[in-house]
PDB file of all heavy atoms in Angstrom:
ATOM      1  N   SER Z   1      -8.317  -3.375   5.931  1.00 85.00           N
ATOM      2  CA  SER Z   1      -9.161  -4.506   5.553  1.00 85.00           C
ATOM      3  C   SER Z   1      -8.671  -5.736   6.305  1.00 85.00           C
ATOM      4  O   SER Z   1      -7.565  -6.202   6.080  1.00 85.00           O
ATOM      5  CB  SER Z   1      -9.107  -4.743   4.036  1.00 85.00           C
ATOM      6  OG  SER Z   1      -9.975  -5.781   3.658  1.00 85.00           O
ATOM      7  N   ASP Z   2      -9.504  -6.230   7.219  1.00 85.00           N
ATOM      8  CA  ASP Z   2      -9.122  -7.384   8.038  1.00 85.00           C
ATOM      9  C   ASP Z   2      -9.414  -8.698   7.306  1.00 85.00           C
ATOM     10  O   ASP Z   2     -10.443  -8.828   6.646  1.00 85.00           O
ATOM     11  CB  ASP Z   2      -9.898  -7.388   9.347  1.00 85.00           C
ATOM     12  CG  ASP Z   2      -9.489  -6.259  10.283  1.00 85.00           C
ATOM     13  OD1 ASP Z   2      -8.658  -5.434   9.869  1.00 85.00           O
ATOM     14  OD2 ASP Z   2      -9.995  -6.223  11.418  1.00 85.00           O
ATOM     15  N   ALA Z   3      -8.523  -9.644   7.434  1.00 88.00           N
ATOM     16  CA  ALA Z   3      -8.756 -10.993   6.908  1.00 88.00           C
ATOM     17  C   ALA Z   3      -7.685 -11.915   7.464  1.00 88.00           C
ATOM     18  O   ALA Z   3      -6.528 -11.518   7.639  1.00 88.00           O
ATOM     19  CB  ALA Z   3      -8.719 -11.011   5.381  1.00 88.00           C
ATOM     20  N   LEU Z   4      -8.077 -13.142   7.776  1.00 89.00           N
ATOM     21  CA  LEU Z   4      -7.131 -14.113   8.295  1.00 89.00           C
ATOM     22  C   LEU Z   4      -6.244 -14.647   7.171  1.00 89.00           C
ATOM     23  O   LEU Z   4      -6.663 -14.726   6.008  1.00 89.00           O
ATOM     24  CB  LEU Z   4      -7.875 -15.267   8.951  1.00 89.00           C
ATOM     25  CG  LEU Z   4      -8.662 -14.917  10.218  1.00 89.00           C
ATOM     26  CD1 LEU Z   4      -9.508 -16.113  10.646  1.00 89.00           C
ATOM     27  CD2 LEU Z   4      -7.727 -14.479  11.333  1.00 89.00           C
ATOM     28  N   LEU Z   5      -5.026 -15.023   7.526  1.00 90.00           N
ATOM     29  CA  LEU Z   5      -4.109 -15.599   6.554  1.00 90.00           C
ATOM     30  C   LEU Z   5      -4.728 -16.833   5.909  1.00 90.00           C
ATOM     31  O   LEU Z   5      -5.365 -17.657   6.577  1.00 90.00           O
ATOM     32  CB  LEU Z   5      -2.792 -15.958   7.230  1.00 90.00           C
ATOM     33  CG  LEU Z   5      -1.927 -14.770   7.656  1.00 90.00           C
ATOM     34  CD1 LEU Z   5      -0.797 -15.232   8.559  1.00 90.00           C
ATOM     35  CD2 LEU Z   5      -1.379 -14.036   6.438  1.00 90.00           C
ATOM     36  N   GLY Z   6      -4.527 -16.949   4.612  1.00 90.00           N
ATOM     37  CA  GLY Z   6      -5.134 -18.033   3.849  1.00 90.00           C
ATOM     38  C   GLY Z   6      -6.460 -17.646   3.244  1.00 90.00           C
ATOM     39  O   GLY Z   6      -7.002 -18.378   2.413  1.00 90.00           O
ATOM     40  N   MET Z   7      -6.994 -16.479   3.663  1.00 91.00           N
ATOM     41  CA  MET Z   7      -8.296 -16.028   3.172  1.00 91.00           C
ATOM     42  C   MET Z   7      -8.234 -14.585   2.666  1.00 91.00           C
ATOM     43  O   MET Z   7      -9.257 -13.912   2.548  1.00 91.00           O
ATOM     44  CB  MET Z   7      -9.337 -16.143   4.287  1.00 91.00           C
ATOM     45  CG  MET Z   7      -9.496 -17.547   4.838  1.00 91.00           C
ATOM     46  SD  MET Z   7     -10.636 -17.636   6.246  1.00 91.00           S
ATOM     47  CE  MET Z   7     -12.177 -17.157   5.457  1.00 91.00           C
ATOM     48  N   ILE Z   8      -7.028 -14.096   2.374  1.00 93.00           N
ATOM     49  CA  ILE Z   8      -6.871 -12.707   1.953  1.00 93.00           C
ATOM     50  C   ILE Z   8      -6.868 -12.634   0.430  1.00 93.00           C
ATOM     51  O   ILE Z   8      -5.954 -13.168  -0.213  1.00 93.00           O
ATOM     52  CB  ILE Z   8      -5.562 -12.109   2.499  1.00 93.00           C
ATOM     53  CG1 ILE Z   8      -5.451 -12.343   4.007  1.00 93.00           C
ATOM     54  CG2 ILE Z   8      -5.492 -10.613   2.188  1.00 93.00           C
ATOM     55  CD1 ILE Z   8      -4.104 -11.955   4.584  1.00 93.00           C
ATOM     56  N   PRO Z   9      -7.841 -11.981  -0.180  1.00 94.00           N
ATOM     57  CA  PRO Z   9      -7.864 -11.852  -1.640  1.00 94.00           C
ATOM     58  C   PRO Z   9      -6.681 -11.041  -2.146  1.00 94.00           C
ATOM     59  O   PRO Z   9      -6.214 -10.106  -1.473  1.00 94.00           O
ATOM     60  CB  PRO Z   9      -9.185 -11.117  -1.915  1.00 94.00           C
ATOM     61  CG  PRO Z   9      -9.999 -11.282  -0.670  1.00 94.00           C
ATOM     62  CD  PRO Z   9      -9.021 -11.357   0.448  1.00 94.00           C
ATOM     63  N   ALA Z  10      -6.218 -11.375  -3.331  1.00 96.00           N
ATOM     64  CA  ALA Z  10      -5.097 -10.643  -3.926  1.00 96.00           C
ATOM     65  C   ALA Z  10      -5.428  -9.168  -4.097  1.00 96.00           C
ATOM     66  O   ALA Z  10      -4.565  -8.296  -3.915  1.00 96.00           O
ATOM     67  CB  ALA Z  10      -4.727 -11.269  -5.275  1.00 96.00           C
ATOM     68  N   ALA Z  11      -6.685  -8.884  -4.426  1.00 95.00           N
ATOM     69  CA  ALA Z  11      -7.087  -7.491  -4.620  1.00 95.00           C
ATOM     70  C   ALA Z  11      -6.966  -6.689  -3.324  1.00 95.00           C
ATOM     71  O   ALA Z  11      -6.624  -5.499  -3.345  1.00 95.00           O
ATOM     72  CB  ALA Z  11      -8.526  -7.430  -5.137  1.00 95.00           C
ATOM     73  N   THR Z  12      -7.240  -7.338  -2.202  1.00 95.00           N
ATOM     74  CA  THR Z  12      -7.106  -6.668  -0.908  1.00 95.00           C
ATOM     75  C   THR Z  12      -5.648  -6.358  -0.603  1.00 95.00           C
ATOM     76  O   THR Z  12      -5.316  -5.255  -0.135  1.00 95.00           O
ATOM     77  CB  THR Z  12      -7.688  -7.549   0.210  1.00 95.00           C
ATOM     78  OG1 THR Z  12      -9.093  -7.704  -0.008  1.00 95.00           O
ATOM     79  CG2 THR Z  12      -7.450  -6.927   1.582  1.00 95.00           C
ATOM     80  N   ILE Z  13      -4.767  -7.310  -0.860  1.00 96.00           N
ATOM     81  CA  ILE Z  13      -3.332  -7.091  -0.646  1.00 96.00           C
ATOM     82  C   ILE Z  13      -2.854  -5.904  -1.468  1.00 96.00           C
ATOM     83  O   ILE Z  13      -2.164  -5.006  -0.958  1.00 96.00           O
ATOM     84  CB  ILE Z  13      -2.528  -8.357  -1.005  1.00 96.00           C
ATOM     85  CG1 ILE Z  13      -2.934  -9.520  -0.099  1.00 96.00           C
ATOM     86  CG2 ILE Z  13      -1.026  -8.097  -0.906  1.00 96.00           C
ATOM     87  CD1 ILE Z  13      -2.342 -10.858  -0.499  1.00 96.00           C
ATOM     88  N   GLU Z  14      -3.250  -5.882  -2.724  1.00 96.00           N
ATOM     89  CA  GLU Z  14      -2.835  -4.803  -3.624  1.00 96.00           C
ATOM     90  C   GLU Z  14      -3.371  -3.461  -3.153  1.00 96.00           C
ATOM     91  O   GLU Z  14      -2.644  -2.458  -3.113  1.00 96.00           O
ATOM     92  CB  GLU Z  14      -3.325  -5.097  -5.043  1.00 96.00           C
ATOM     93  CG  GLU Z  14      -3.119  -3.974  -6.041  1.00 96.00           C
ATOM     94  CD  GLU Z  14      -1.658  -3.663  -6.300  1.00 96.00           C
ATOM     95  OE1 GLU Z  14      -0.806  -4.560  -6.089  1.00 96.00           O
ATOM     96  OE2 GLU Z  14      -1.353  -2.524  -6.708  1.00 96.00           O
ATOM     97  N   ALA Z  15      -4.645  -3.414  -2.779  1.00 95.00           N
ATOM     98  CA  ALA Z  15      -5.259  -2.149  -2.385  1.00 95.00           C
ATOM     99  C   ALA Z  15      -4.626  -1.578  -1.120  1.00 95.00           C
ATOM    100  O   ALA Z  15      -4.338  -0.380  -1.038  1.00 95.00           O
ATOM    101  CB  ALA Z  15      -6.765  -2.351  -2.173  1.00 95.00           C
ATOM    102  N   VAL Z  16      -4.401  -2.438  -0.124  1.00 96.00           N
ATOM    103  CA  VAL Z  16      -3.853  -1.966   1.150  1.00 96.00           C
ATOM    104  C   VAL Z  16      -2.401  -1.509   0.997  1.00 96.00           C
ATOM    105  O   VAL Z  16      -2.017  -0.437   1.470  1.00 96.00           O
ATOM    106  CB  VAL Z  16      -3.970  -3.056   2.231  1.00 96.00           C
ATOM    107  CG1 VAL Z  16      -3.233  -2.644   3.501  1.00 96.00           C
ATOM    108  CG2 VAL Z  16      -5.439  -3.335   2.552  1.00 96.00           C
ATOM    109  N   LEU Z  17      -1.594  -2.313   0.333  1.00 97.00           N
ATOM    110  CA  LEU Z  17      -0.182  -1.951   0.174  1.00 97.00           C
ATOM    111  C   LEU Z  17      -0.006  -0.732  -0.733  1.00 97.00           C
ATOM    112  O   LEU Z  17       0.834   0.131  -0.463  1.00 97.00           O
ATOM    113  CB  LEU Z  17       0.606  -3.139  -0.384  1.00 97.00           C
ATOM    114  CG  LEU Z  17       0.775  -4.336   0.561  1.00 97.00           C
ATOM    115  CD1 LEU Z  17       1.544  -5.453  -0.126  1.00 97.00           C
ATOM    116  CD2 LEU Z  17       1.477  -3.936   1.847  1.00 97.00           C
ATOM    117  N   SER Z  18      -0.793  -0.643  -1.794  1.00 97.00           N
ATOM    118  CA  SER Z  18      -0.620   0.478  -2.722  1.00 97.00           C
ATOM    119  C   SER Z  18      -1.027   1.802  -2.090  1.00 97.00           C
ATOM    120  O   SER Z  18      -0.412   2.841  -2.361  1.00 97.00           O
ATOM    121  CB  SER Z  18      -1.415   0.243  -4.014  1.00 97.00           C
ATOM    122  OG  SER Z  18      -2.804   0.210  -3.756  1.00 97.00           O
ATOM    123  N   THR Z  19      -2.038   1.772  -1.243  1.00 96.00           N
ATOM    124  CA  THR Z  19      -2.467   3.013  -0.580  1.00 96.00           C
ATOM    125  C   THR Z  19      -1.584   3.344   0.607  1.00 96.00           C
ATOM    126  O   THR Z  19      -1.051   4.457   0.719  1.00 96.00           O
ATOM    127  CB  THR Z  19      -3.933   2.898  -0.119  1.00 96.00           C
ATOM    128  OG1 THR Z  19      -4.773   2.684  -1.250  1.00 96.00           O
ATOM    129  CG2 THR Z  19      -4.367   4.169   0.600  1.00 96.00           C
ATOM    130  N   ASN Z  20      -1.417   2.393   1.507  1.00 97.00           N
ATOM    131  CA  ASN Z  20      -0.737   2.673   2.774  1.00 97.00           C
ATOM    132  C   ASN Z  20       0.767   2.836   2.638  1.00 97.00           C
ATOM    133  O   ASN Z  20       1.372   3.676   3.318  1.00 97.00           O
ATOM    134  CB  ASN Z  20      -1.018   1.562   3.784  1.00 97.00           C
ATOM    135  CG  ASN Z  20      -2.486   1.464   4.156  1.00 97.00           C
ATOM    136  OD1 ASN Z  20      -3.312   2.204   3.643  1.00 97.00           O
ATOM    137  ND2 ASN Z  20      -2.802   0.545   5.036  1.00 97.00           N
ATOM    138  N   LEU Z  21       1.384   2.032   1.787  1.00 98.00           N
ATOM    139  CA  LEU Z  21       2.847   2.059   1.694  1.00 98.00           C
ATOM    140  C   LEU Z  21       3.349   2.707   0.411  1.00 98.00           C
ATOM    141  O   LEU Z  21       4.112   3.671   0.460  1.00 98.00           O
ATOM    142  CB  LEU Z  21       3.405   0.638   1.818  1.00 98.00           C
ATOM    143  CG  LEU Z  21       4.923   0.512   1.786  1.00 98.00           C
ATOM    144  CD1 LEU Z  21       5.584   1.410   2.831  1.00 98.00           C
ATOM    145  CD2 LEU Z  21       5.341  -0.940   1.975  1.00 98.00           C
ATOM    146  N   THR Z  22       2.908   2.197  -0.739  1.00 98.00           N
ATOM    147  CA  THR Z  22       3.385   2.767  -2.001  1.00 98.00           C
ATOM    148  C   THR Z  22       3.021   4.241  -2.104  1.00 98.00           C
ATOM    149  O   THR Z  22       3.844   5.069  -2.505  1.00 98.00           O
ATOM    150  CB  THR Z  22       2.798   1.992  -3.196  1.00 98.00           C
ATOM    151  OG1 THR Z  22       3.115   0.606  -3.067  1.00 98.00           O
ATOM    152  CG2 THR Z  22       3.358   2.521  -4.507  1.00 98.00           C
ATOM    153  N   GLY Z  23       1.792   4.582  -1.717  1.00 98.00           N
ATOM    154  CA  GLY Z  23       1.378   5.980  -1.764  1.00 98.00           C
ATOM    155  C   GLY Z  23       2.226   6.864  -0.867  1.00 98.00           C
ATOM    156  O   GLY Z  23       2.558   7.999  -1.225  1.00 98.00           O
ATOM    157  N   SER Z  24       2.591   6.347   0.298  1.00 98.00           N
ATOM    158  CA  SER Z  24       3.451   7.115   1.209  1.00 98.00           C
ATOM    159  C   SER Z  24       4.827   7.351   0.591  1.00 98.00           C
ATOM    160  O   SER Z  24       5.412   8.432   0.740  1.00 98.00           O
ATOM    161  CB  SER Z  24       3.602   6.376   2.540  1.00 98.00           C
ATOM    162  OG  SER Z  24       2.373   6.330   3.231  1.00 98.00           O
ATOM    163  N   ILE Z  25       5.342   6.341  -0.102  1.00 98.00           N
ATOM    164  CA  ILE Z  25       6.644   6.492  -0.766  1.00 98.00           C
ATOM    165  C   ILE Z  25       6.558   7.525  -1.878  1.00 98.00           C
ATOM    166  O   ILE Z  25       7.434   8.393  -2.012  1.00 98.00           O
ATOM    167  CB  ILE Z  25       7.136   5.139  -1.304  1.00 98.00           C
ATOM    168  CG1 ILE Z  25       7.392   4.159  -0.159  1.00 98.00           C
ATOM    169  CG2 ILE Z  25       8.415   5.317  -2.134  1.00 98.00           C
ATOM    170  CD1 ILE Z  25       7.676   2.734  -0.610  1.00 98.00           C
ATOM    171  N   TYR Z  26       5.498   7.447  -2.692  1.00 98.00           N
ATOM    172  CA  TYR Z  26       5.318   8.430  -3.772  1.00 98.00           C
ATOM    173  C   TYR Z  26       5.349   9.847  -3.213  1.00 98.00           C
ATOM    174  O   TYR Z  26       6.054  10.729  -3.733  1.00 98.00           O
ATOM    175  CB  TYR Z  26       3.984   8.203  -4.480  1.00 98.00           C
ATOM    176  CG  TYR Z  26       3.914   7.012  -5.401  1.00 98.00           C
ATOM    177  CD1 TYR Z  26       2.678   6.471  -5.757  1.00 98.00           C
ATOM    178  CD2 TYR Z  26       5.056   6.427  -5.934  1.00 98.00           C
ATOM    179  CE1 TYR Z  26       2.583   5.381  -6.608  1.00 98.00           C
ATOM    180  CE2 TYR Z  26       4.971   5.333  -6.784  1.00 98.00           C
ATOM    181  CZ  TYR Z  26       3.730   4.817  -7.115  1.00 98.00           C
ATOM    182  OH  TYR Z  26       3.636   3.748  -7.962  1.00 98.00           O
ATOM    183  N   HIS Z  27       4.557  10.077  -2.163  1.00 98.00           N
ATOM    184  CA  HIS Z  27       4.466  11.429  -1.617  1.00 98.00           C
ATOM    185  C   HIS Z  27       5.756  11.859  -0.938  1.00 98.00           C
ATOM    186  O   HIS Z  27       6.191  13.014  -1.085  1.00 98.00           O
ATOM    187  CB  HIS Z  27       3.284  11.517  -0.644  1.00 98.00           C
ATOM    188  CG  HIS Z  27       2.004  11.887  -1.318  1.00 98.00           C
ATOM    189  ND1 HIS Z  27       1.633  13.179  -1.591  1.00 98.00           N
ATOM    190  CD2 HIS Z  27       0.996  11.105  -1.794  1.00 98.00           C
ATOM    191  CE1 HIS Z  27       0.471  13.194  -2.197  1.00 98.00           C
ATOM    192  NE2 HIS Z  27       0.056  11.952  -2.334  1.00 98.00           N
ATOM    193  N   LEU Z  28       6.370  10.962  -0.192  1.00 98.00           N
ATOM    194  CA  LEU Z  28       7.619  11.328   0.476  1.00 98.00           C
ATOM    195  C   LEU Z  28       8.690  11.698  -0.541  1.00 98.00           C
ATOM    196  O   LEU Z  28       9.435  12.677  -0.353  1.00 98.00           O
ATOM    197  CB  LEU Z  28       8.091  10.179   1.365  1.00 98.00           C
ATOM    198  CG  LEU Z  28       9.262  10.492   2.291  1.00 98.00           C
ATOM    199  CD1 LEU Z  28       9.143   9.713   3.594  1.00 98.00           C
ATOM    200  CD2 LEU Z  28      10.604  10.162   1.642  1.00 98.00           C
ATOM    201  N   GLN Z  29       8.749  10.954  -1.613  1.00 98.00           N
ATOM    202  CA  GLN Z  29       9.761  11.226  -2.626  1.00 98.00           C
ATOM    203  C   GLN Z  29       9.557  12.595  -3.274  1.00 98.00           C
ATOM    204  O   GLN Z  29      10.502  13.387  -3.415  1.00 98.00           O
ATOM    205  CB  GLN Z  29       9.732  10.127  -3.692  1.00 98.00           C
ATOM    206  CG  GLN Z  29      10.813  10.257  -4.746  1.00 98.00           C
ATOM    207  CD  GLN Z  29      11.046   8.959  -5.491  1.00 98.00           C
ATOM    208  OE1 GLN Z  29      12.054   8.298  -5.272  1.00 98.00           O
ATOM    209  NE2 GLN Z  29      10.102   8.594  -6.351  1.00 98.00           N
ATOM    210  N   GLU Z  30       8.310  12.891  -3.680  1.00 98.00           N
ATOM    211  CA  GLU Z  30       8.038  14.188  -4.309  1.00 98.00           C
ATOM    212  C   GLU Z  30       8.218  15.335  -3.314  1.00 98.00           C
ATOM    213  O   GLU Z  30       8.749  16.396  -3.662  1.00 98.00           O
ATOM    214  CB  GLU Z  30       6.616  14.206  -4.879  1.00 98.00           C
ATOM    215  CG  GLU Z  30       6.370  13.215  -6.002  1.00 98.00           C
ATOM    216  CD  GLU Z  30       7.260  13.457  -7.208  1.00 98.00           C
ATOM    217  OE1 GLU Z  30       7.559  14.632  -7.514  1.00 98.00           O
ATOM    218  OE2 GLU Z  30       7.657  12.468  -7.856  1.00 98.00           O
ATOM    219  N   ALA Z  31       7.776  15.123  -2.067  1.00 98.00           N
ATOM    220  CA  ALA Z  31       7.914  16.174  -1.056  1.00 98.00           C
ATOM    221  C   ALA Z  31       9.379  16.469  -0.776  1.00 98.00           C
ATOM    222  O   ALA Z  31       9.775  17.637  -0.618  1.00 98.00           O
ATOM    223  CB  ALA Z  31       7.209  15.763   0.230  1.00 98.00           C
ATOM    224  N   SER Z  32      10.196  15.430  -0.701  1.00 98.00           N
ATOM    225  CA  SER Z  32      11.612  15.642  -0.392  1.00 98.00           C
ATOM    226  C   SER Z  32      12.298  16.443  -1.497  1.00 98.00           C
ATOM    227  O   SER Z  32      13.198  17.247  -1.217  1.00 98.00           O
ATOM    228  CB  SER Z  32      12.319  14.304  -0.179  1.00 98.00           C
ATOM    229  OG  SER Z  32      12.381  13.552  -1.378  1.00 98.00           O
ATOM    230  N   ARG Z  33      11.883  16.233  -2.735  1.00 97.00           N
ATOM    231  CA  ARG Z  33      12.446  17.034  -3.834  1.00 97.00           C
ATOM    232  C   ARG Z  33      12.096  18.504  -3.671  1.00 97.00           C
ATOM    233  O   ARG Z  33      12.954  19.396  -3.826  1.00 97.00           O
ATOM    234  CB  ARG Z  33      11.914  16.529  -5.184  1.00 97.00           C
ATOM    235  CG  ARG Z  33      12.452  15.184  -5.631  1.00 97.00           C
ATOM    236  CD  ARG Z  33      12.119  14.954  -7.088  1.00 97.00           C
ATOM    237  NE  ARG Z  33      12.532  13.644  -7.542  1.00 97.00           N
ATOM    238  CZ  ARG Z  33      11.709  12.667  -7.900  1.00 97.00           C
ATOM    239  NH1 ARG Z  33      10.408  12.865  -7.840  1.00 97.00           N
ATOM    240  NH2 ARG Z  33      12.165  11.502  -8.310  1.00 97.00           N
TER     241      ARG Z  33
END
């Protein structure tokens, strides 16, 4: 989701980070176990 700084909705920040990064951590952790 593209947006210039100062115009990024909080919901966009949450959605992008939770899918791209947090989700990767969740899966990596379970896979490593």
Side-chain angles (χ1 to χ4, degrees):
S1 183
D2 291 4
L4 294 172
L5 289 168
M7 302 175 64
I8 309 172
T12 296
I13 298 172
E14 172 65 24
V16 172
L17 291 179
S18 64
T19 299
N20 296 2
L21 182 54
T22 304
S24 293
I25 296 171
Y26 286 160
H27 271 276
L28 189 147
Q29 184 161 254
E30 296 299 325
S32 67
R33 289 193 184 113

